[in-house]
Amino acid sequence: MEILNAKRKSAINVPTRVRFAPYTVLRRLILYVTVISFSLLFAAPLIWMISTSLKTDPQVYHVPPIWIPNPIRLANYPEALSIRPFGIFTLNTLRYALTSTVGAVMSAAVVAYGFSRLQWPGRNVLFFLCLATMMIPFQVRMVPLYITFKNLDWLNSYKPLIIPAFLGIPYYIFLLRQFFLTIPQELSDAARVDGANELNILLRIILPLAKPALAVVGLLQFMAAWDNFLGPLIYLSNESLFPIALGLRQLRSDSVEALMWPYMMAASTMTILPVVVLFFFVQRTFVEGISITGIKG
Amino acid sequence: MGVATNRKFWAPRQQRELLKGLLFVSPWLLGFAGFTVYPILASLYYSLTQYDILRPPRFIGLANYHQLFFQDEVFRFVLYNTLYLVVIGVPAGVVTAFMVASLLNNEMKLRPLFRTLFFVPALVPAVAAAEVWRWVYNTNFGVVNSLLKWGGMSIIPFLSSPDLAKPSLILIHMWAQGTAIVIFLAALQDVPRSLYDAALVDGANLWHRFWNVTIPMCTPTILFVALTSMINMFQYFTIGWLLTEGGPNQSTEFYGIYLYRNAFLFFKMGYASALSWILFLIIVAFTILIFRASQRRVYYAGDGES
């Protein structure tokens, strides 16, 4: 650092520093204008959604578009959610998302431990296989899986969606392994000397240190479950079992033209809300986790 | 003498280690066998049969593949549409994410707020995103066309024109880049300041610094994001299925949609399996291609030790 500073002082282009000041102000101005306009552009569809969800019918079909509805029609929400049993859809989704999240975090932690903190012959070969399976699209396995689950009589239940999460999802295993590798081996060695077995080391030492990484995996799986459409579409045909993703599509199929858009937007807002709220609670951990799990390298 | 005793001494311990390791990874091994290896082999077998689920599979050799390559007119559309989506959509998404991340990497007030605004679209479940964009793209009263009408201009038929349907879907993809933005942002913050200082001393302007320092230092991350994005794009399904269902004029009949249609609407499980195997091979080929092409361009700090 000192060398660099010295270099800069002795460099010929000292005057550029003077020229820099107004240029920097201009640059900051351009930066702010760009960031603000871009973020408004990104937020616009969602603002449009919320705005529509609060409109009365005439406001929906107004040209030019109205951004701030007046009067506000809150009744769109209860009305939209009572056309189809959205309470049941929400409970179904919550149960699916929470169980599969618990399963995904637990299994990924145990498997990642085996792939990172233990030395055993064949470990790297198996880990490579595990990574390679990340490349295999669900759609390649979709047909045989459907047939298998049909034969097992698992269709129209959440088993095909939840049980695989308990058997380790490669991407999460990879993320947690990367994180576990950054924890000093001495910690494990010391515990081993004290007579701790591997399960104890995992539970008492590794997991408490890996909270941000576990949060990332948990959030990713929760979002994936909340988002999953293709899986439920294939495995579930009984409406009382539908998650919100399928329920929203049902709602569209029987929406009458009157108030259709406010209803659709109200239901969409309600679909998005839980994930956004959850994200705000774990945002800090999530961003921190992403930067330390090393997915960037 | 040492070697012999050592071997006798090590063997049981190694066995114990192997057992312990296998025990820990056993959940994955089980899932790997049951939900990956078996389905892939079964899929290979089904792809050689005619199978409608109601009757047992009937072996027909390579007939499915023959039909796929030589008789199926739709399949050509499907390949074209999917490649369009991958070749244009993936770079469009990666570039958008990288640009937004670079913007956010500047020191500024309210940065967490802006970061959140850019990230939130990634939180939106695909089904909800599809409904929101269906409304944004609406020909009569969607926000864009409503503004255009008001300004006396002609409307844009986003989803109802075969020429615009694919670009319109790609735009939605570019909008939902939040995760990639966060990953890029983390990578950008890892670029050593000293490199920029050194570049500044050498008289490099903003563009030079971006092109010669920022981008090379982020190539491993760009490769990672591009690869995962590509693999996902080949399987593009939900938003396309909900918004256009393959239309208009089969302009959005993508691989994932065609596969789903064959398997679960036409109940041609054998044909769908053949389709899925070809998809698998295409993805493997593209992955190898990207790795090969990137080998000389990706910079790994510390002599290849990622």
Side-chain angles (χ1 to χ4, degrees):
Chain A
M1 216 42 205
E2 255 172 65
I3 298 170
L4 275 174
N5 282 336
K7 245 192 196 168
R8 193 182 288 167
K9 261 178 218 153
S10 66
I12 340 151
N13 52 2
V14 178
T16 49
R17 289 232 125 206
V18 186
R19 222 176 25 162
F20 239 66
Y23 176 65
T24 315
V25 173
L26 182 68
R27 233 188 75 189
R28 296 214 68 79
L29 192 71
I30 294 175
L31 176 70
Y32 275 103
V33 170
T34 324
V35 170
I36 291 172
S37 42
F38 263 94
S39 54
L40 282 180
L41 214 60
F42 269 67
L46 296 178
I47 299 172
W48 179 239
M49 166 190 80
I50 295 170
S51 155
T52 305
S53 75
L54 297 167
K55 282 177 186 172
T56 56
D57 224 22
Q59 297 179 70
V60 175
Y61 302 109
H62 194 272
V63 176
I66 296 169
W67 285 95
I68 299 163
N70 180 30
I72 283 176
R73 190 173 191 280
L74 278 171
N76 289 333
Y77 280 82
E79 282 171 21
L81 299 184
S82 58
I83 298 175
R84 292 271 170 170
F86 263 89
I88 293 174
F89 297 157
T90 312
L91 280 181
N92 289 339
T93 320
L94 270 177
R95 206 176 327 145
Y96 160 39
L98 289 175
T99 7
S100 69
T101 301
V102 169
V105 173
M106 270 179 14
S107 58
V110 172
V111 175
Y113 188 85
F115 277 137
S116 60
R117 311 291 297 184
L118 298 174
Q119 297 288 343
W120 44 283
R123 180 185 85 166
N124 293 342
V125 177
L126 281 183
F127 182 64
F128 177 78
L129 271 179
C130 178
L131 280 189
T133 56
M134 289 204 305
M135 243 172 50
I136 302 169
F138 170 67
Q139 285 159 359
V140 169
R141 302 173 292 144
M142 180 171 79
V143 170
L145 279 180
Y146 173 82
I147 294 164
T148 309
F149 293 144
K150 187 180 156 61
N151 292 336
L152 287 171
D153 211 15
W154 283 8
L155 295 186
N156 269 319
S157 83
Y158 275 90
K159 283 180 201 156
L161 296 166
I162 290 174
I163 290 175
F166 276 84
L167 296 177
I169 294 168
Y171 184 50
Y172 305 148
I173 296 173
F174 168 67
L175 288 185
L176 288 186
R177 172 191 176 266
Q178 297 303 95
F179 188 83
F180 289 176
L181 283 176
T182 64
I183 299 172
Q185 191 65 43
E186 288 80 15
L187 287 177
S188 301
D189 293 340
R192 276 188 202 113
V193 169
D194 290 345
N197 64 29
E198 299 300 332
L199 200 63
N200 270 327
I201 297 174
L202 172 63
L203 292 176
R204 301 263 165 80
I205 297 173
I206 306 294
L207 290 189
L209 287 172
K211 270 182 199 151
L214 297 174
V216 172
V217 169
L219 187 70
L220 286 178
Q221 173 59 28
F222 189 90
M223 277 162 52
W226 202 270
D227 186 44
N228 194 355
F229 174 76
L230 182 55
L233 180 69
I234 295 171
Y235 301 132
L236 307 172
S237 52
N238 186 344
E239 194 184 321
S240 64
L241 291 171
F242 279 3
I244 294 181
L246 291 183
L248 201 60
R249 191 199 52 162
Q250 284 307 91
L251 178 64
R252 174 164 60 83
S253 67
D254 53 20
S255 286
V256 273
E257 191 60 28
L259 280 177
M260 166 178 140
W261 288 113
Y263 283 171
M264 281 316 297
M265 292 304 110
S268 299
T269 309
M270 291 310 288
T271 309
I272 297 169
L273 201 65
V275 204
V276 173
V277 169
L278 177 72
F279 175 73
F280 274 101
F281 275 113
V282 295
Q283 182 178 21
R284 190 171 275 265
T285 335
F286 182 72
V287 174
E288 189 189 335
I290 285 222
S291 37
I292 47 182
T293 36
I295 16 176
K296 49 206 172 75
Chain B
M1 162 194 134
V3 178
T5 45
N6 265 351
R7 197 171 279 163
K8 260 187 192 163
F9 178 72
W10 283 109
R13 182 172 161 186
Q14 233 169 14
Q15 270 175 14
R16 228 179 33 238
E17 279 173 340
L18 176 68
L19 223 64
K20 221 190 298 181
L22 287 178
L23 190 69
F24 269 89
V25 303
S26 59
W28 170 74
L29 275 178
L30 214 65
F32 179 63
F35 299 131
T36 304
V37 176
Y38 166 73
I40 286 184
L41 294 179
S43 161
L44 189 60
Y45 166 68
Y46 289 136
S47 78
L48 304 173
T49 66
Q50 192 175 38
Y51 187 24
D52 61 4
I53 295 199
L54 296 174
R55 284 161 295 184
R58 191 167 62 85
F59 190 82
I60 52 169
L62 291 173
N64 283 327
Y65 292 97
H66 186 266
Q67 189 189 346
L68 197 65
F69 286 118
F70 301 109
Q71 287 156 351
D72 191 340
E73 293 289 327
V74 183
F75 185 62
R76 265 164 246 175
F77 282 106
V78 170
L79 272 188
Y80 169 74
N81 292 338
T82 312
L83 286 179
Y84 184 110
L85 199 64
V86 169
V87 171
I88 297 180
V90 172
V94 173
V95 169
T96 310
F98 199 81
M99 278 183 359
V100 170
S102 306
L103 269 180
L104 288 173
N105 194 36
N106 288 290
E107 254 172 61
M108 65 177 100
K109 295 205 171 74
L110 299 175
R111 189 156 79 168
L113 172 75
F114 290 125
R115 193 181 58 199
T116 308
L117 281 179
F118 284 113
F119 185 77
V120 163
L123 292 170
V124 176
V127 186
E131 293 312 321
V132 170
W133 281 90
R134 184 201 308 286
W135 178 220
V136 168
Y137 282 160
N138 185 283
T139 7
N140 293 315
F141 304 104
V143 61
V144 183
N145 283 325
S146 179
L147 275 172
L148 287 176
K149 266 209 269 187
W150 181 59
M153 284 174 272
S154 54
I155 56 150
I156 303 172
F158 289 103
L159 296 172
S160 44
S161 136
D163 293 327
L164 291 180
K166 279 190 285 281
S168 302
L169 294 178
I170 289 177
L171 198 66
I172 303 178
H173 168 73
M174 289 161 70
W175 171 72
Q177 287 299 317
T179 321
I181 292 172
V182 175
I183 294 175
F184 278 142
L185 203 53
L188 287 169
Q189 279 162 1
D190 269 6
V191 179
R193 271 233 65 87
S194 58
L195 286 179
Y196 289 114
D197 291 336
L200 212 58
V201 169
D202 289 342
N205 63 27
L206 193 70
W207 174 250
H208 285 143
R209 271 174 284 154
F210 181 72
W211 196 249
N212 295 322
V213 178
T214 312
I215 293 199
M217 289 305 287
C218 292
T219 37
T221 317
I222 296 173
L223 178 66
F224 174 82
V225 171
L227 266 180
T228 43
S229 167
M230 177 206 76
I231 293 175
N232 288 331
M233 207 55 138
F234 268 115
Q235 308 175 60
Y236 188 84
F237 178 77
T238 305
I239 291 184
W241 179 248
L242 289 168
L243 277 184
T244 51
E245 262 183 72
N249 258 339
Q250 293 178 329
S251 63
T252 60
E253 187 77 12
F254 301 114
Y255 215 119
I257 290 174
Y258 191 54
L259 217 167
Y260 173 80
R261 201 188 293 283
N262 272 287
F264 297 103
L265 298 183
F266 303 157
F267 291 105
K268 291 188 194 167
M269 293 295 174
Y271 197 60
S273 297
L275 274 169
S276 72
W277 257 85
I278 299 299
L279 175 65
F280 182 39
L281 294 181
I282 294 176
I283 290 180
V284 170
F286 263 73
T287 308
I288 293 172
L289 205 75
I290 289 187
F291 261 114
R292 280 273 166 81
S294 67
Q295 228 154 37
R296 267 162 294 138
R297 296 185 185 90
V298 173
Y299 170 82
Y300 288 106
D303 272 332
E305 273 197 39
S306 75

